[in-house]
């Protein structure tokens, strides 16, 4: 199932599980109507974390299958417009990211941003909310990936990060504790980023309506191929199920 402008892809819409697995940064694609399909960046930049979350889509899909729950994935690069930002966020359309200037975004005006909102961002969020509302006890599970090392920074030590807002840590805090029991893993508790970002996807679809939620970041060098993505999903799915069952 896709939107009119291929803003999203849904897998397993009829699956009965209560999880909704989301992947806001699943793709590095640039629609042809955006700057002719080319943001002006080298292919190497479009392949790295500034344009999408490498490996996250595969993990999200595999988790959806393991949890017997639907999955929604964006089909456009976060550099076109970031669905994990509020509409009024100054980083909604990035002009500079981790040392790379995005040429096609440097002089974008309000009309250009408005077109991307109407054709990509809003259809994605409309579909997201429709899936989230399909049952009253939906649990939002957002899947992302992070780079081991930003330009000019020290390598990050974590294998997995669990991100959450102080406004609702019901699921995330016990998940952090459970993951920390895995002796071979270094777990980030609200690392490598803070989990509270007003207007982001979790804020909009989980915090505001009061849905249980958590956001998992897997280091992208650990999920570089399908086998690794499947393996991480197979490891995380029973832990997520266990934590949810213990919580309730």
């Amino acid at each position: 199932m896709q939107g009119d402008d291929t803003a999203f892809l849904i897998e397993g819409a009829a699956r009965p599980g209560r999880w909704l697995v989301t992947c806001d940064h699943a793709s590095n694609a640039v629609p042809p109507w955006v700057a002719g399909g080319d943001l002006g960046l080298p292919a190497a930049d479009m392949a790295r974390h500034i344009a999408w979350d490498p490996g996250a889509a595969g993990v999200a899909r595999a988790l959806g299958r393991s949890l017997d729950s639907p999955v929604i994935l964006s089909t456009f690069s976060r550099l076109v417009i970031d669905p994990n930002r509020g509409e009024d966020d100054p980083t909604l359309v990035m002009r500079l990211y981790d040392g790379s200037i995005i040429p096609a975004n440097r002089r974008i005006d309000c009309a250009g941003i408005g077109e991307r909102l109407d054709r990509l961002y809003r259809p994605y969020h409309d579909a997201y909310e429709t899936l989230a509302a399909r049952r009253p006890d939906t649990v939002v599970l957002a899947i992302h990936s992070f780079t081991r090392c930003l330009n000019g920074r020290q390598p990050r030590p974590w294998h997995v990060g669990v991100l959450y807002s102080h406004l609702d840590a019901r699921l995330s805090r016990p998940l952090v504790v459970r993951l920390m029991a895995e002796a071979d893993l270094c777990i980030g508790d609200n690392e490598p980023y803070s989990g509270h970002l007003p207007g982001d996807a979790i804020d909009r679809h989980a915090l505001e309506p009061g849905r249980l939620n958590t956001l998992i970041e897997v280091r992208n060098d650990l999920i570089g191929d399908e086998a690794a993505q499947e393996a991480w999903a197979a490891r995380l799915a029973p832990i997520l199920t266990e934590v949810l069952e213990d919580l309730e």
Side-chain angles (χ1 to χ4, degrees), residues 45-73:
D45 269 346
M46 290 302 297
R48 69 191 189 99
H49 72 100
I50 66 171
W52 63 326
D53 282 356
V59 175
R61 287 186 166 103
L63 277 168
R65 293 190 295 270
S66 294
L67 298 169
D68 200 19
S69 295
V71 183
I72 182 167
L73 309 102

PDB file of all heavy atoms in Angstrom, residues 45-73:
ATOM      1  N   ASP A  45      27.507  10.852   0.073  1.00  0.00           N
ATOM      2  CA  ASP A  45      26.748  11.526   1.118  1.00  0.00           C
ATOM      3  C   ASP A  45      25.322  10.993   1.198  1.00  0.00           C
ATOM      4  O   ASP A  45      24.765  10.826   2.287  1.00  0.00           O
ATOM      5  CB  ASP A  45      26.712  13.033   0.871  1.00  0.00           C
ATOM      6  CG  ASP A  45      27.856  13.770   1.560  1.00  0.00           C
ATOM      7  OD1 ASP A  45      28.502  13.165   2.434  1.00  0.00           O
ATOM      8  OD2 ASP A  45      28.105  14.937   1.220  1.00  0.00           O
ATOM      9  N   MET A  46      24.714  10.727   0.043  1.00  0.00           N
ATOM     10  CA  MET A  46      23.343  10.210   0.051  1.00  0.00           C
ATOM     11  C   MET A  46      23.271   8.796   0.619  1.00  0.00           C
ATOM     12  O   MET A  46      22.198   8.347   1.025  1.00  0.00           O
ATOM     13  CB  MET A  46      22.760  10.233  -1.364  1.00  0.00           C
ATOM     14  CG  MET A  46      22.476  11.632  -1.903  1.00  0.00           C
ATOM     15  SD  MET A  46      21.337  12.602  -0.879  1.00  0.00           S
ATOM     16  CE  MET A  46      19.832  11.625  -0.990  1.00  0.00           C
ATOM     17  N   ALA A  47      24.399   8.108   0.661  1.00  0.00           N
ATOM     18  CA  ALA A  47      24.419   6.747   1.204  1.00  0.00           C
ATOM     19  C   ALA A  47      24.632   6.726   2.714  1.00  0.00           C
ATOM     20  O   ALA A  47      24.414   5.694   3.347  1.00  0.00           O
ATOM     21  CB  ALA A  47      25.509   5.927   0.525  1.00  0.00           C
ATOM     22  N   ARG A  48      25.050   7.851   3.297  1.00  0.00           N
ATOM     23  CA  ARG A  48      25.360   7.822   4.720  1.00  0.00           C
ATOM     24  C   ARG A  48      24.189   8.328   5.566  1.00  0.00           C
ATOM     25  O   ARG A  48      23.124   8.643   5.061  1.00  0.00           O
ATOM     26  CB  ARG A  48      26.669   8.560   5.015  1.00  0.00           C
ATOM     27  CG  ARG A  48      26.685  10.052   4.847  1.00  0.00           C
ATOM     28  CD  ARG A  48      28.109  10.585   4.923  1.00  0.00           C
ATOM     29  NE  ARG A  48      28.173  12.049   4.970  1.00  0.00           N
ATOM     30  CZ  ARG A  48      28.328  12.740   6.098  1.00  0.00           C
ATOM     31  NH1 ARG A  48      28.427  12.119   7.265  1.00  0.00           N
ATOM     32  NH2 ARG A  48      28.381  14.064   6.058  1.00  0.00           N
ATOM     33  N   HIS A  49      24.418   8.414   6.856  1.00  0.00           N
ATOM     34  CA  HIS A  49      23.330   8.617   7.808  1.00  0.00           C
ATOM     35  C   HIS A  49      22.634   9.960   7.671  1.00  0.00           C
ATOM     36  O   HIS A  49      21.517  10.124   8.180  1.00  0.00           O
ATOM     37  CB  HIS A  49      23.870   8.483   9.235  1.00  0.00           C
ATOM     38  CG  HIS A  49      24.738   9.647   9.637  1.00  0.00           C
ATOM     39  ND1 HIS A  49      24.284  10.690  10.406  1.00  0.00           N
ATOM     40  CD2 HIS A  49      26.034   9.941   9.344  1.00  0.00           C
ATOM     41  CE1 HIS A  49      25.252  11.569  10.589  1.00  0.00           C
ATOM     42  NE2 HIS A  49      26.329  11.131   9.954  1.00  0.00           N
ATOM     43  N   ILE A  50      23.228  10.925   7.008  1.00  0.00           N
ATOM     44  CA  ILE A  50      22.569  12.216   6.891  1.00  0.00           C
ATOM     45  C   ILE A  50      21.317  12.135   6.018  1.00  0.00           C
ATOM     46  O   ILE A  50      20.406  12.953   6.154  1.00  0.00           O
ATOM     47  CB  ILE A  50      23.519  13.316   6.363  1.00  0.00           C
ATOM     48  CG1 ILE A  50      23.955  13.044   4.921  1.00  0.00           C
ATOM     49  CG2 ILE A  50      24.725  13.469   7.286  1.00  0.00           C
ATOM     50  CD1 ILE A  50      24.716  14.208   4.296  1.00  0.00           C
ATOM     51  N   ALA A  51      21.267  11.159   5.109  1.00  0.00           N
ATOM     52  CA  ALA A  51      20.154  11.066   4.168  1.00  0.00           C
ATOM     53  C   ALA A  51      19.069  10.094   4.607  1.00  0.00           C
ATOM     54  O   ALA A  51      17.942  10.167   4.122  1.00  0.00           O
ATOM     55  CB  ALA A  51      20.668  10.672   2.785  1.00  0.00           C
ATOM     56  N   TRP A  52      19.420   9.157   5.518  1.00  0.00           N
ATOM     57  CA  TRP A  52      18.461   8.152   5.970  1.00  0.00           C
ATOM     58  C   TRP A  52      19.047   7.438   7.171  1.00  0.00           C
ATOM     59  O   TRP A  52      20.105   7.844   7.672  1.00  0.00           O
ATOM     60  CB  TRP A  52      18.128   7.178   4.839  1.00  0.00           C
ATOM     61  CG  TRP A  52      19.303   6.353   4.318  1.00  0.00           C
ATOM     62  CD1 TRP A  52      20.620   6.740   4.212  1.00  0.00           C
ATOM     63  CD2 TRP A  52      19.251   5.016   3.826  1.00  0.00           C
ATOM     64  NE1 TRP A  52      21.380   5.723   3.666  1.00  0.00           N
ATOM     65  CE2 TRP A  52      20.566   4.650   3.418  1.00  0.00           C
ATOM     66  CE3 TRP A  52      18.226   4.084   3.667  1.00  0.00           C
ATOM     67  CZ2 TRP A  52      20.867   3.397   2.892  1.00  0.00           C
ATOM     68  CZ3 TRP A  52      18.536   2.840   3.127  1.00  0.00           C
ATOM     69  CH2 TRP A  52      19.838   2.510   2.744  1.00  0.00           C
ATOM     70  N   ASP A  53      18.383   6.392   7.646  1.00  0.00           N
ATOM     71  CA  ASP A  53      18.919   5.567   8.723  1.00  0.00           C
ATOM     72  C   ASP A  53      19.285   4.205   8.137  1.00  0.00           C
ATOM     73  O   ASP A  53      18.436   3.301   8.050  1.00  0.00           O
ATOM     74  CB  ASP A  53      17.890   5.387   9.847  1.00  0.00           C
ATOM     75  CG  ASP A  53      17.781   6.599  10.747  1.00  0.00           C
ATOM     76  OD1 ASP A  53      18.550   7.558  10.553  1.00  0.00           O
ATOM     77  OD2 ASP A  53      16.926   6.592  11.651  1.00  0.00           O
ATOM     78  N   PRO A  54      20.533   4.021   7.713  1.00  0.00           N
ATOM     79  CA  PRO A  54      20.918   2.756   7.074  1.00  0.00           C
ATOM     80  C   PRO A  54      20.586   1.554   7.956  1.00  0.00           C
ATOM     81  O   PRO A  54      20.879   1.538   9.152  1.00  0.00           O
ATOM     82  CB  PRO A  54      22.435   2.918   6.894  1.00  0.00           C
ATOM     83  CG  PRO A  54      22.661   4.394   6.804  1.00  0.00           C
ATOM     84  CD  PRO A  54      21.671   4.985   7.751  1.00  0.00           C
ATOM     85  N   GLY A  55      19.978   0.557   7.334  1.00  0.00           N
ATOM     86  CA  GLY A  55      19.665  -0.687   8.029  1.00  0.00           C
ATOM     87  C   GLY A  55      18.382  -0.683   8.820  1.00  0.00           C
ATOM     88  O   GLY A  55      17.849  -1.744   9.166  1.00  0.00           O
ATOM     89  N   ALA A  56      17.838   0.493   9.123  1.00  0.00           N
ATOM     90  CA  ALA A  56      16.668   0.563  10.000  1.00  0.00           C
ATOM     91  C   ALA A  56      15.431  -0.062   9.363  1.00  0.00           C
ATOM     92  O   ALA A  56      14.635  -0.715  10.044  1.00  0.00           O
ATOM     93  CB  ALA A  56      16.388   2.011  10.384  1.00  0.00           C
ATOM     94  N   ALA A  57      15.258   0.131   8.060  1.00  0.00           N
ATOM     95  CA  ALA A  57      14.067  -0.414   7.402  1.00  0.00           C
ATOM     96  C   ALA A  57      14.030  -1.934   7.497  1.00  0.00           C
ATOM     97  O   ALA A  57      12.975  -2.526   7.757  1.00  0.00           O
ATOM     98  CB  ALA A  57      14.018   0.036   5.946  1.00  0.00           C
ATOM     99  N   GLY A  58      15.167  -2.582   7.296  1.00  0.00           N
ATOM    100  CA  GLY A  58      15.212  -4.037   7.387  1.00  0.00           C
ATOM    101  C   GLY A  58      14.895  -4.541   8.779  1.00  0.00           C
ATOM    102  O   GLY A  58      14.195  -5.552   8.952  1.00  0.00           O
ATOM    103  N   VAL A  59      15.402  -3.848   9.795  1.00  0.00           N
ATOM    104  CA  VAL A  59      15.094  -4.225  11.171  1.00  0.00           C
ATOM    105  C   VAL A  59      13.606  -4.034  11.451  1.00  0.00           C
ATOM    106  O   VAL A  59      12.951  -4.892  12.063  1.00  0.00           O
ATOM    107  CB  VAL A  59      15.946  -3.408  12.160  1.00  0.00           C
ATOM    108  CG1 VAL A  59      15.541  -3.716  13.603  1.00  0.00           C
ATOM    109  CG2 VAL A  59      17.429  -3.691  11.963  1.00  0.00           C
ATOM    110  N   ALA A  60      13.053  -2.903  10.992  1.00  0.00           N
ATOM    111  CA  ALA A  60      11.634  -2.620  11.222  1.00  0.00           C
ATOM    112  C   ALA A  60      10.746  -3.668  10.566  1.00  0.00           C
ATOM    113  O   ALA A  60       9.790  -4.174  11.176  1.00  0.00           O
ATOM    114  CB  ALA A  60      11.289  -1.227  10.704  1.00  0.00           C
ATOM    115  N   ARG A  61      11.058  -4.014   9.329  1.00  0.00           N
ATOM    116  CA  ARG A  61      10.261  -5.029   8.625  1.00  0.00           C
ATOM    117  C   ARG A  61      10.312  -6.375   9.357  1.00  0.00           C
ATOM    118  O   ARG A  61       9.289  -7.046   9.528  1.00  0.00           O
ATOM    119  CB  ARG A  61      10.772  -5.188   7.197  1.00  0.00           C
ATOM    120  CG  ARG A  61      10.434  -4.041   6.258  1.00  0.00           C
ATOM    121  CD  ARG A  61      10.862  -4.394   4.837  1.00  0.00           C
ATOM    122  NE  ARG A  61      10.286  -3.496   3.871  1.00  0.00           N
ATOM    123  CZ  ARG A  61      10.941  -2.501   3.268  1.00  0.00           C
ATOM    124  NH1 ARG A  61      12.222  -2.307   3.560  1.00  0.00           N
ATOM    125  NH2 ARG A  61      10.334  -1.728   2.393  1.00  0.00           N
ATOM    126  N   ALA A  62      11.500  -6.768   9.766  1.00  0.00           N
ATOM    127  CA  ALA A  62      11.646  -8.056  10.444  1.00  0.00           C
ATOM    128  C   ALA A  62      10.950  -8.046  11.802  1.00  0.00           C
ATOM    129  O   ALA A  62      10.342  -9.048  12.208  1.00  0.00           O
ATOM    130  CB  ALA A  62      13.130  -8.396  10.604  1.00  0.00           C
ATOM    131  N   LEU A  63      10.995  -6.930  12.514  1.00  0.00           N
ATOM    132  CA  LEU A  63      10.283  -6.825  13.776  1.00  0.00           C
ATOM    133  C   LEU A  63       8.776  -6.912  13.563  1.00  0.00           C
ATOM    134  O   LEU A  63       8.065  -7.543  14.350  1.00  0.00           O
ATOM    135  CB  LEU A  63      10.638  -5.520  14.482  1.00  0.00           C
ATOM    136  CG  LEU A  63      11.929  -5.529  15.299  1.00  0.00           C
ATOM    137  CD1 LEU A  63      12.323  -4.124  15.698  1.00  0.00           C
ATOM    138  CD2 LEU A  63      11.780  -6.406  16.538  1.00  0.00           C
ATOM    139  N   GLY A  64       8.283  -6.278  12.504  1.00  0.00           N
ATOM    140  CA  GLY A  64       6.867  -6.355  12.215  1.00  0.00           C
ATOM    141  C   GLY A  64       6.411  -7.796  12.019  1.00  0.00           C
ATOM    142  O   GLY A  64       5.360  -8.205  12.526  1.00  0.00           O
ATOM    143  N   ARG A  65       7.234  -8.573  11.301  1.00  0.00           N
ATOM    144  CA  ARG A  65       6.897  -9.979  11.096  1.00  0.00           C
ATOM    145  C   ARG A  65       6.947 -10.757  12.419  1.00  0.00           C
ATOM    146  O   ARG A  65       6.055 -11.554  12.722  1.00  0.00           O
ATOM    147  CB  ARG A  65       7.843 -10.606  10.061  1.00  0.00           C
ATOM    148  CG  ARG A  65       7.665 -10.054   8.652  1.00  0.00           C
ATOM    149  CD  ARG A  65       8.444 -10.857   7.633  1.00  0.00           C
ATOM    150  NE  ARG A  65       9.884 -10.771   7.810  1.00  0.00           N
ATOM    151  CZ  ARG A  65      10.658  -9.849   7.241  1.00  0.00           C
ATOM    152  NH1 ARG A  65      10.122  -8.919   6.458  1.00  0.00           N
ATOM    153  NH2 ARG A  65      11.973  -9.863   7.413  1.00  0.00           N
ATOM    154  N   SER A  66       7.987 -10.516  13.210  1.00  0.00           N
ATOM    155  CA  SER A  66       8.145 -11.250  14.463  1.00  0.00           C
ATOM    156  C   SER A  66       7.055 -10.910  15.477  1.00  0.00           C
ATOM    157  O   SER A  66       6.615 -11.784  16.238  1.00  0.00           O
ATOM    158  CB  SER A  66       9.520 -10.955  15.083  1.00  0.00           C
ATOM    159  OG  SER A  66      10.556 -11.450  14.270  1.00  0.00           O
ATOM    160  N   LEU A  67       6.635  -9.650  15.488  1.00  0.00           N
ATOM    161  CA  LEU A  67       5.621  -9.193  16.433  1.00  0.00           C
ATOM    162  C   LEU A  67       4.214  -9.295  15.867  1.00  0.00           C
ATOM    163  O   LEU A  67       3.246  -8.930  16.548  1.00  0.00           O
ATOM    164  CB  LEU A  67       5.917  -7.743  16.847  1.00  0.00           C
ATOM    165  CG  LEU A  67       7.242  -7.521  17.574  1.00  0.00           C
ATOM    166  CD1 LEU A  67       7.547  -6.029  17.686  1.00  0.00           C
ATOM    167  CD2 LEU A  67       7.237  -8.170  18.960  1.00  0.00           C
ATOM    168  N   ASP A  68       4.105  -9.782  14.630  1.00  0.00           N
ATOM    169  CA  ASP A  68       2.818  -9.926  13.936  1.00  0.00           C
ATOM    170  C   ASP A  68       2.035  -8.615  13.957  1.00  0.00           C
ATOM    171  O   ASP A  68       0.827  -8.582  14.230  1.00  0.00           O
ATOM    172  CB  ASP A  68       1.988 -11.055  14.561  1.00  0.00           C
ATOM    173  CG  ASP A  68       0.910 -11.573  13.608  1.00  0.00           C
ATOM    174  OD1 ASP A  68       1.022 -11.338  12.398  1.00  0.00           O
ATOM    175  OD2 ASP A  68      -0.049 -12.219  14.091  1.00  0.00           O
ATOM    176  N   SER A  69       2.728  -7.547  13.644  1.00  0.00           N
ATOM    177  CA  SER A  69       2.163  -6.198  13.724  1.00  0.00           C
ATOM    178  C   SER A  69       2.512  -5.402  12.465  1.00  0.00           C
ATOM    179  O   SER A  69       3.506  -5.703  11.784  1.00  0.00           O
ATOM    180  CB  SER A  69       2.720  -5.473  14.962  1.00  0.00           C
ATOM    181  OG  SER A  69       2.298  -6.086  16.152  1.00  0.00           O
ATOM    182  N   PRO A  70       1.724  -4.384  12.153  1.00  0.00           N
ATOM    183  CA  PRO A  70       1.988  -3.603  10.951  1.00  0.00           C
ATOM    184  C   PRO A  70       3.229  -2.733  11.066  1.00  0.00           C
ATOM    185  O   PRO A  70       3.672  -2.391  12.167  1.00  0.00           O
ATOM    186  CB  PRO A  70       0.733  -2.735  10.802  1.00  0.00           C
ATOM    187  CG  PRO A  70       0.146  -2.666  12.160  1.00  0.00           C
ATOM    188  CD  PRO A  70       0.503  -3.953  12.836  1.00  0.00           C
ATOM    189  N   VAL A  71       3.761  -2.385   9.905  1.00  0.00           N
ATOM    190  CA  VAL A  71       4.956  -1.547   9.802  1.00  0.00           C
ATOM    191  C   VAL A  71       4.656  -0.421   8.821  1.00  0.00           C
ATOM    192  O   VAL A  71       4.082  -0.659   7.757  1.00  0.00           O
ATOM    193  CB  VAL A  71       6.164  -2.352   9.283  1.00  0.00           C
ATOM    194  CG1 VAL A  71       7.426  -1.488   9.258  1.00  0.00           C
ATOM    195  CG2 VAL A  71       6.378  -3.605  10.110  1.00  0.00           C
ATOM    196  N   ILE A  72       5.043   0.794   9.172  1.00  0.00           N
ATOM    197  CA  ILE A  72       4.970   1.906   8.228  1.00  0.00           C
ATOM    198  C   ILE A  72       6.366   2.481   8.047  1.00  0.00           C
ATOM    199  O   ILE A  72       7.108   2.677   9.017  1.00  0.00           O
ATOM    200  CB  ILE A  72       3.967   2.999   8.656  1.00  0.00           C
ATOM    201  CG1 ILE A  72       3.901   4.106   7.591  1.00  0.00           C
ATOM    202  CG2 ILE A  72       4.292   3.572  10.034  1.00  0.00           C
ATOM    203  CD1 ILE A  72       2.747   5.069   7.749  1.00  0.00           C
ATOM    204  N   LEU A  73       6.731   2.699   6.774  1.00  0.00           N
ATOM    205  CA  LEU A  73       8.050   3.207   6.430  1.00  0.00           C
ATOM    206  C   LEU A  73       7.905   4.416   5.509  1.00  0.00           C
ATOM    207  O   LEU A  73       7.070   4.409   4.591  1.00  0.00           O
ATOM    208  CB  LEU A  73       8.878   2.130   5.717  1.00  0.00           C
ATOM    209  CG  LEU A  73       8.962   0.759   6.383  1.00  0.00           C
ATOM    210  CD1 LEU A  73       8.023  -0.224   5.692  1.00  0.00           C
ATOM    211  CD2 LEU A  73      10.383   0.217   6.345  1.00  0.00           C
TER     212      LEU A  73
END
